[in-house]
Amino acid sequence: MIHFVGAGPGAKDLITVRGLKLLKEADIIIYAGSLVNPRLLEDAKEGCRIFNSAHMTLEEVLEVMEEGERSGRMTVRLHTGDPCLYGAVREQMDILDAKGIVYDSCPGVSSFCGAAAALNLEYTLPGISQSVVITRMEGRTPVPEKESIASFAEHGATMVLFLSAGLLAELTEQLLRGGYQEDTPAAVVYKATWPEEKSWLCTVGTLVETARRHGVDRTALIIVGDAAAQSGYERSRLYDPEFTTGYREGNGTGKEPCAGCRKGLCEERLHKDECIRGKC
Ligand code: SAH
């Protein structure tokens, strides 16, 4: 059996309980050495064979897995963050499928969650943005044309950019072309949750300078959008004393406001009186 396991963003104790259990039981561990914290390997059992996939091709990785299967061993394929993002897992799984080798996946804490934690950031602030665009600049891996940074930037939503810290001049140009402003809040988070973690709040216009000043050109995430400023948001409906939820009786009308009320466009505001649905 092969287990694809998310190692988490860096800190040794940010792997899941399930992931750690699998790691401790593994006969073979193939870890993505460029970003997985090697301290996680301290938990491998005596005699476990450990491979660093940074030095291996897809074929070599598969060879180790196949050999493990033949000898009845359990393999953990350890990927950084969560394997579902830029993990190159599908190509491994397709070959395993073709060979009839069974595998499963154990999720991990992605670095975009680690980066939010580094800044105590909420990506989805009411009234600011309710969406997070996870994307990257084109590198050796092409990005489909319809997924250009500029087209995503048009939404003004929160954006988290992977694999792009070395391409900040081009990134800035595309963000501005898409509609973000020079003063749109942004952040650079280097090695989130690692002991050497560093993070800087800046703006779209100062992204290049911020990364250059601190010598960051890899292992970083770029966060863009008004949510990075963490201000100017609306308070949540869920915890508003006026509103009734499935778990709590509110002291207001108990009705959800219409879109007009929410934007403060109605003459009769829900908070004062009653929302005149449809007339707003
Ligand atoms: N599957 C991983 C992403 C792998 S792609 C995940 O879920 O996080 C590798 C890119 O992820 C890096 O170039 C960098 O942009 C980002 N990254 C990974 N770990 C990071 C960390 N601890 N801090 C900041 N960025 C990180």
Side-chain angles (χ1 to χ4, degrees):
M1 180 86 183
I2 318 276
H3 300 278
F4 288 87
V5 175
K12 184 180 187 288
D13 57 355
L14 277 179
I15 189 168
T16 64
V17 174
R18 185 188 297 180
L20 183 59
K21 185 167 176 285
L22 290 167
L23 207 58
K24 286 179 171 171
E25 290 168 359
D27 303 304
I28 299 169
I29 297 171
I30 310 169
Y31 72 105
S34 55
L35 279 171
V36 167
N37 187 343
R39 288 204 52 213
L40 278 164
L41 306 170
E42 293 167 1
D43 289 306
K45 70 180 180 193
E46 193 74 13
C48 174
R49 296 179 64 205
I50 297 176
F51 297 85
N52 179 355
S53 64
H55 308 303
M56 298 161 79
T57 61
L58 172 62
E59 287 71 17
E60 287 165 346
V61 167
L62 263 296
E63 215 174 287
V64 172
M65 288 178 174
E66 255 192 289
E67 163 57 23
E69 284 301 294
R70 272 199 295 273
S71 49
R73 295 194 162 88
M74 189 273 261
T75 300
V76 161
R77 175 68 170 112
L78 195 59
H79 280 276
T80 177
D82 187 292
C84 77
L85 288 171
Y86 310 112
V89 285
R90 187 70 255 164
E91 60 187 20
Q92 300 171 64
M93 293 172 177
D94 279 345
I95 298 175
L96 294 174
D97 282 340
K99 293 181 184 294
I101 296 174
V102 183
Y103 56 86
D104 67 8
S105 299
C106 171
V109 177
S110 175
S111 60
F112 83 92
C113 301
L119 290 163
N120 291 313
L121 212 66
E122 179 175 347
Y123 290 134
T124 53
L125 286 175
I128 303 280
S129 175
Q130 289 292 285
S131 313
V132 184
V133 177
I134 289 172
T135 186
R136 60 168 297 172
M137 286 289 284
E138 183 162 282
R140 262 172 298 184
T141 307
V143 173
E145 214 178 300
K146 59 183 189 306
E147 294 182 17
S148 72
I149 303 283
S151 70
F152 283 133
E154 280 174 25
H155 295 275
T158 307
M159 280 176 84
V160 182
L161 292 124
F162 284 71
L163 298 154
S164 303
L167 300 161
L168 293 183
E170 300 91 315
L171 173 68
T172 304
E173 192 264 315
Q174 290 207 35
L175 290 169
L176 293 173
R177 186 143 46 87
Y180 285 112
Q181 308 298 312
E182 293 262 350
D183 63 355
T184 297
V188 179
V189 185
Y190 172 71
K191 289 202 112 176
T193 82
W194 287 73
E196 55 271 44
E197 167 190 294
K198 290 211 169 61
S199 58
W200 304 276
L201 287 170
C202 59
T203 64
V204 167
T206 59
L207 268 174
V208 173
E209 168 58 15
T210 304
R212 197 198 51 77
R213 193 166 356 114
H214 300 286
V216 172
D217 64 358
R218 66 195 61 202
T219 328
L221 286 172
I222 312 301
I223 299 164
V224 180
D226 287 334
Q230 297 287 283
S231 61
Y233 60 91
E234 294 166 12
R235 64 175 286 174
S236 69
R237 302 282 182 270
L238 188 61
Y239 296 108
D240 189 324
E242 294 226 332
F243 292 103
T244 297
T245 73
Y247 298 94
R248 182 175 57 76
E249 196 61 40
N251 60 13
T253 63
K255 287 183 191 157
E256 268 290 305
C258 71
C261 278
R262 277 208 295 272
K263 288 181 187 151
L265 302 173
C266 298
E267 282 175 24
E268 300 272 348
R269 303 286 301 281
L270 177 70
H271 287 79
K272 288 198 208 123
D273 197 357
E274 200 177 339
C275 170
I276 321 163
R277 284 178 176 278
K279 291 189 188 161
C280 304

